[in-house]
Amino acid sequence: SSLPFFIAYEADPSDSGKIHSNVRARWDAGESEVVSAMKTFGELASKARAAIESKDHGALADLMDQNFNLRRKIYGDACLGAKNLQMVELCRRCNCAVKFPGSGGAVLGLCRSEEANDPMHKVQEALEAENFVFCPLDLVMPE
């Protein structure tokens, strides 16, 4: 069955990537917080695969949020950028899990609730009202 996934991004990107992360240097220095976080990212990915394979939509959403929360802790708000954080907050207010699909500038979201026939309507309206671009994705869980 199809899952309510979407991508959102800035219509006019401005602050994405202006402040560069020092996470690589912290990794190279063996900083325990960063080394531990990278191990946790790998564990989250393995758990996400298991959630997809077992068709556990709720667990997948929770893992996406855990991924973002850890990324925010390690990289910091200045590095992530105000507009990226605004997208995350808008999505979360609409009961959607959200994470970055790459280095920032876009979010991958998964709606938790099955509101009416269109679970994405509320988050689409919220994002577009703030001039973000909303793109529903047509992904399906494995059979």
Side-chain angles (χ1 to χ4, degrees), residues 6-135:
F6 61 90
I7 293 278
Y9 58 92
E10 290 184 64
D12 183 22
S14 56
D15 69 357
S16 299
K18 278 189 180 176
I19 297 175
H20 294 283
S21 167
N22 65 350
V23 170
R24 177 58 192 254
R26 292 165 61 199
W27 166 266
D28 289 342
E31 184 181 308
S32 61
E33 183 181 33
V34 173
V35 172
S36 175
M38 295 307 157
K39 180 180 178 190
T40 301
F41 284 128
E43 292 166 354
L44 291 172
S46 294
K47 289 177 183 177
R49 179 183 177 142
I52 290 167
E53 290 172 346
S54 66
K55 300 179 183 175
D56 190 342
H57 178 173
L60 181 59
D62 291 343
L63 291 162
M64 289 172 64
D65 277 337
Q66 289 173 43
N67 174 286
F68 177 80
N69 293 343
L70 181 58
R71 184 174 184 150
R72 187 175 192 175
K73 179 182 173 190
I74 294 299
Y75 284 81
D77 288 359
C79 182
L80 299 186
K83 286 292 190 180
N84 289 326
L85 293 171
Q86 182 185 10
M87 279 190 288
V88 170
E89 292 306 317
L90 287 168
C91 293
R92 286 184 166 181
R93 276 189 238 141
C94 295
N95 201 25
C96 297
V98 67
K99 67 178 292 301
F100 292 152
S103 61
V107 295
L108 172 66
L110 174 59
C111 297
R112 282 193 166 87
S113 63
E114 300 297 330
E115 295 175 19
N117 293 330
D118 185 4
M120 290 193 268
H121 180 73
K122 183 178 175 183
V123 69
Q124 180 175 0
E125 279 190 344
L127 288 163
E128 289 178 347
E130 296 297 327
N131 202 34
F132 294 111
V133 178
F134 178 88
C135 303

